[in-house]
C-alpha cells in the first residue's frame, strides 16, 4: 500500500486505512469471529472511529478494539505517523535530524 505522508496527519484517513487493512475480508467480531455485525455510529471523542455491534454475542467494539492502538491516549494519527517513520533508512533519519537541528539553531539566533 502506498501512503502519502500528507494523509497521515488526517485522523479520518488513518481510521479508514486501519479499517481497510484490518477488515479486508469484511467486518467480524473480535470476540466471537461472527460476521453478523451492525454499525453503531461513531465514537464521541474520535468522530472517525466507527462503532460496531455483534448480533451473535451482543458485544460492542470499534475500529481499534483488539489492536495495539486501543486504549492509548495518543491519537491514531500519531501512531500511524510513527510507523511511517520507522520504515525510513537510518542514514535518511540522521540527515533529516541534522537538518532539523541546524534549522532550529538558526531560528533561535538573535
Amino acid at each position: 500500500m502506498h501512503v502519502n505522508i500528507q494523509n497521515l496527519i488526517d485522523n479520518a484517513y488513518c481510521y479508514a486505512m486501519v479499517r481497510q487493512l484490518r477488515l479486508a475480508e469484511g467486518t467480524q467480531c473480535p470476540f466471537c469471529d461472527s460476521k453478523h455485525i451492525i454499525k453503531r455510529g461513531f465514537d464521541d471523542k474520535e468522530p472517525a472511529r466507527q462503532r460496531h455491534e455483534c448480533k451473535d454475542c451482543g458485544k460492542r467494539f470499534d475500529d481499534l478494539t483488539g489492536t495495539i492502538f486501543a486504549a492509548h491516549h495518543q491519537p491514531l494519527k500519531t501512531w500511524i505517523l510513527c510507523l511511517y517513520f520507522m520504515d525510513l533508512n537510518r542514514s535518511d533519519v540522521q540527515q533529516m535530524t541534522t537538518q532539523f537541528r541546524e534549522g532550529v539553531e538558526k531560528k533561535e539566533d538573535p
Side-chain angles (χ1 to χ4, degrees), residues 26-89:
T27 306
Q28 84 182 52
C29 177
F31 304 103
C32 72
D33 294 329
S34 171
K35 292 196 181 233
H36 297 107
I37 306 299
I38 58 172
K39 291 182 179 180
R40 282 289 186 190
F42 293 90
D43 187 78
D44 297 333
K45 294 181 181 177
E46 291 286 338
R49 185 188 292 193
Q50 177 72 57
R51 291 179 178 163
H52 305 277
E53 182 179 335
C54 177
K55 295 299 278 178
D56 289 336
C57 72
K59 292 190 178 181
R60 292 184 179 196
F61 60 97
D62 63 36
D63 293 331
L64 303 184
T65 301
T67 70
I68 192 170
F69 309 121
H72 287 281
H73 69 280
Q74 294 293 339
L76 179 61
K77 64 183 177 184
T78 302
W79 284 95
I80 300 295
L81 196 56
C82 179
L83 290 171
Y84 177 85
F85 284 119
M86 286 176 62
D87 197 34
L88 290 177
N89 181 306

Side-chain angles (χ1 to χ4, degrees), residues 7-21:
N7 293 333
L8 297 180
I9 59 173
D10 177 23
N11 233 12
Y13 178 84
C14 291
Y15 277 103
M17 188 170 59
V18 166
R19 277 192 293 273
Q20 179 184 359
L21 293 171

